[in-house]
Amino acid sequence: MLLYNSLTNKKEELLIKSQKVNLYICGPTVYNYIHIGNARPLINFDVLHRVLKLYNYKVNYIHNFTDIDDKIIAKAHEKKINEIELATYHMQAYNNDIKNLRILKPTMQPKVSDSIPQIIKFIEKLVIQKDAYVVNGNVYFRTTKHLDQYGKISNLKIDDLSNDDLNNSEKENPRDFSLWKKTDFGMNWKSPWSDGRPGWHTECVVFNDEIFNSETIDIHGGGVDLKFPHHENERIQWIAANKKPLAKFWIHNGQVMLKNTKMSKSLGNTLLLKDVREQHGVMALKYIILNSHYRGPINVTEETFTNAKIIINKWKNNLQKIQNYLQTKNLYDTNSIDWISCTDISWVTFLKYLNDDLNTANAIMVIDDIIKKIQNIKDNSIINTKFLIINKMLETLGLLLDIQILTNNDIVLLNEWNELKDNKNYKEADALRSLLAEKGIL
Ligand SMILES: [Zn+2]
């Protein structure tokens, strides 16, 4: 499989030595419901997860929770509730969103509040090695020691790496970033330097260190917004601590724009995932996201949702008709196909696109094409095979259309309906039609 590596700015072959893939996707800061921009990496990288599983890889998918952060503390303070309570509520809401998105679950979801001793130990190591320094109870990473590596993911020169703490005069260099912050506002912990809490960029490094035993992992990813500062700062800490790469691949998905403006909480133009789910359905959202290359931006409008819903419904209706046809004619055969060696041209083309840097948009074109063509096929066994292939393609993209498998009773009713139509008994046929439509079969 070819994947675009942000570190080298080119597509590279993803070479996996064992049957196991270690994948880390940076997770949410839990102080709010997620918007569809936050859902995009979940949907895009779920396809990567599914493709790897298709090839029988065991995927160790780690997706963390940032449950300690200034934004959480500020919001909890504003709402006059406990920070843990706020974070716990939003972690549950997030997992509910994951469930509703019907993506494959992360293997582990480590959270910061469980790892403070490990984070302190890690920062101590950096201080001892002089990769970090202490001023007034605060600890900063010394970027000047690693100028040859810092900025490689975002492709920025050191002078372009602005951070929101540039004017902090206690730092040796304006580009240095905070590892430990002395504070008595909100939750804080004792450390060798002060009572305080860790900066955002150390947690993922420590989780990687702990979970993967300081080994270089296969893929580290997230939204393009994370390239700098988060991923640069993660990477440089890891290199300082472990003297080797954090990940072989760094992958990033593009932004979601709402009516041509970047979707962001601070601009107040967000579409919350839970609202989109109610209004349009999750599969329409997944269709929109997957019908575009994951690295590029997506612009979302009302019209995009309307179009996505039309296509999803069209696919669903056509596929249910085929399911009904195969079952009522007793032709439905789910004899499993060996998907790795399957030579069906549509299937091979579909995989070729996904193996070329997850080109889900082209993969969707293959699905659309095969759904159109299957209706003209006369040979029943080919219809059955193509139908199984379409279902597997949809499953591989996580586009789950819930085509109903008929019960014996449904089959009797469908056959009865067909007979009534053939005998031009339209009144009774219509009544039966309503019943079948209610069941979602017609
Ligand atoms: Zn991270």
Side-chain angles (χ1 to χ4, degrees):
M1 173 189 263
L2 287 174
L3 261 189
Y4 187 89
N5 193 348
S6 301
L7 192 61
T8 54
N9 294 309
K10 58 176 194 264
K11 285 188 208 172
E12 288 174 35
E13 186 70 37
L14 177 68
L15 296 169
I16 312 282
K17 280 199 194 109
S18 61
Q19 276 306 98
K20 202 176 66 196
V21 179
N22 290 331
L23 168 70
Y24 188 102
I25 305 290
C26 291
T29 301
V30 278
Y31 70 106
N32 214 335
Y33 292 105
I34 62 165
H35 59 71
I36 59 173
N38 308 131
R40 189 174 180 190
L42 294 174
I43 295 168
N44 282 135
F45 300 135
D46 183 51
V47 177
L48 174 63
H49 192 169
R50 286 170 185 271
V51 173
L52 291 169
K53 284 195 89 155
L54 181 81
Y55 287 108
N56 296 321
Y57 289 112
K58 186 180 174 301
V59 181
N60 251 333
Y61 170 25
I62 314 300
H63 191 51
N64 67 302
F65 279 124
T66 301
D67 64 339
I68 293 169
D69 183 90
D70 288 351
K71 290 195 234 52
I72 298 173
I73 291 163
K75 186 159 179 193
H77 191 73
E78 179 196 310
K79 295 189 121 197
K80 297 193 170 41
I81 56 170
N82 180 299
E83 297 127 60
I84 294 282
E85 205 182 311
L86 179 79
T88 305
Y89 176 83
H90 283 293
M91 279 189 273
Q92 281 164 359
Y94 188 81
N95 277 344
N96 201 32
D97 278 332
I98 286 190
K99 200 167 139 225
N100 289 328
L101 277 175
R102 299 170 74 181
I103 59 167
L104 301 177
K105 274 196 203 158
T107 322
M108 267 175 100
Q109 293 176 291
K111 52 185 203 284
V112 187
S113 59
D114 289 338
S115 304
I116 299 290
Q118 293 90 324
I119 291 173
I120 291 174
K121 204 171 125 209
F122 183 86
I123 298 173
E124 265 188 309
K125 179 175 176 180
L126 294 184
V127 172
I128 291 166
Q129 291 181 177
K130 301 202 178 338
D131 291 302
Y133 56 94
V134 187
V135 192
N136 302 326
N138 296 310
V139 186
Y140 298 101
F141 188 85
R142 185 172 272 132
T143 52
T144 44
K145 231 185 122 182
H146 299 275
L147 290 182
D148 56 328
Q149 288 292 336
Y150 196 47
K152 280 209 164 170
I153 301 171
S154 48
N155 234 348
L156 291 169
K157 298 264 178 305
I158 187 76
D159 287 340
D160 300 328
L161 295 168
S162 85
N163 69 35
D164 52 15
D165 194 27
L166 279 181
N167 299 322
N168 175 351
S169 60
E170 70 177 23
K171 294 195 290 187
E172 284 177 7
N173 185 293
R175 317 291 159 191
D176 295 348
F177 56 90
S178 171
L179 302 182
W180 185 266
K181 188 172 153 183
K182 177 184 172 182
T183 179
D184 54 11
F185 181 66
M187 282 200 295
N188 58 76
W189 288 262
K190 291 216 170 307
S191 80
W193 320 289
S194 64
D195 288 358
R197 58 179 172 268
W200 173 34
H201 311 299
T202 305
E203 61 190 63
C204 295
V205 188
V206 172
F207 296 144
N208 272 271
D209 227 7
E210 295 278 312
I211 296 166
F212 300 115
N213 215 4
S214 307
E215 285 303 317
T216 300
I217 65 163
D218 299 292
I219 308 164
H220 192 110
V224 68
D225 286 3
L226 293 184
K227 275 189 181 177
F228 181 79
H230 189 55
H231 283 170
E232 292 291 2
N233 292 356
E234 285 181 355
R235 180 173 173 267
I236 211 69
Q237 287 177 81
W238 177 281
I239 290 175
N242 295 322
K243 321 276 185 273
K244 60 183 165 189
L246 169 51
K248 290 180 208 150
F249 278 79
W250 289 82
I251 56 172
H252 296 95
N253 64 276
Q255 288 173 345
V256 176
M257 322 274 284
L258 186 60
K259 295 172 192 159
N260 292 314
T261 310
K262 189 194 156 200
M263 190 176 290
S264 83
K265 280 174 195 154
S266 50
L267 294 173
N269 65 331
T270 57
L271 279 181
L272 295 183
L273 177 62
K274 67 185 181 75
D275 297 337
V276 166
R277 183 173 79 91
E278 268 181 30
Q279 224 182 325
H280 305 289
V282 153
M283 294 305 149
L285 173 67
K286 283 184 152 186
Y287 177 88
I288 293 169
I289 286 178
L290 299 177
N291 198 27
S292 199
H293 198 280
Y294 76 92
R295 283 190 282 120
I298 296 179
N299 188 36
V300 174
T301 61
E302 270 302 311
E303 208 189 344
T304 359
F305 279 109
T306 309
N307 291 339
K309 278 191 281 188
I310 290 172
I311 293 166
I312 289 285
N313 283 333
K314 191 181 74 185
W315 282 2
K316 194 174 163 149
N317 290 338
N318 286 339
L319 294 175
Q320 187 67 56
K321 272 185 204 153
I322 298 164
Q323 177 84 41
N324 296 352
Y325 173 78
L326 291 170
Q327 279 197 269
T328 51
K329 301 273 180 212
N330 207 12
L331 300 164
Y332 184 51
D333 180 2
T334 53
N335 257 351
S336 61
I337 297 172
D338 179 352
W339 296 108
I340 296 174
S341 61
C342 174
T343 54
D344 175 274
I345 184 70
S346 305
W347 175 250
V348 171
T349 312
F350 174 83
L351 281 189
K352 188 189 83 187
Y353 286 135
L354 290 182
N355 281 323
D356 183 8
D357 195 27
L358 298 174
N359 195 332
T360 50
N362 280 3
I364 281 180
M365 268 173 27
V366 176
I367 297 180
D368 203 47
D369 186 55
I370 183 173
I371 291 179
K372 275 181 195 141
K373 284 184 179 153
I374 194 172
Q375 294 168 77
N376 300 321
I377 299 173
K378 299 283 178 273
D379 183 324
N380 282 327
S381 77
I382 299 181
I383 295 176
N384 189 76
T385 307
K386 291 282 183 188
F387 182 66
L388 297 182
I389 290 171
I390 295 169
N391 284 331
K392 189 66 184 180
M393 288 175 175
L394 289 166
E395 186 198 317
T396 307
L397 295 184
L399 287 169
L400 309 172
L401 303 186
D402 298 324
I403 307 303
Q404 286 201 48
I405 302 206
L406 307 184
T407 62
N408 286 339
N409 185 41
D410 295 335
I411 295 173
V412 170
L413 291 176
L414 256 180
N415 282 332
E416 212 176 293
W417 179 62
N418 283 325
E419 231 170 82
L420 287 167
K421 279 195 305 176
D422 290 347
N423 296 331
K424 301 197 172 21
N425 192 346
Y426 295 122
K427 208 175 156 200
E428 279 185 48
D430 276 355
L432 195 48
R433 190 189 193 291
S434 311
L435 178 70
L436 291 165
E438 241 171 67
K439 284 172 164 257
I441 297 167
L442 283 180

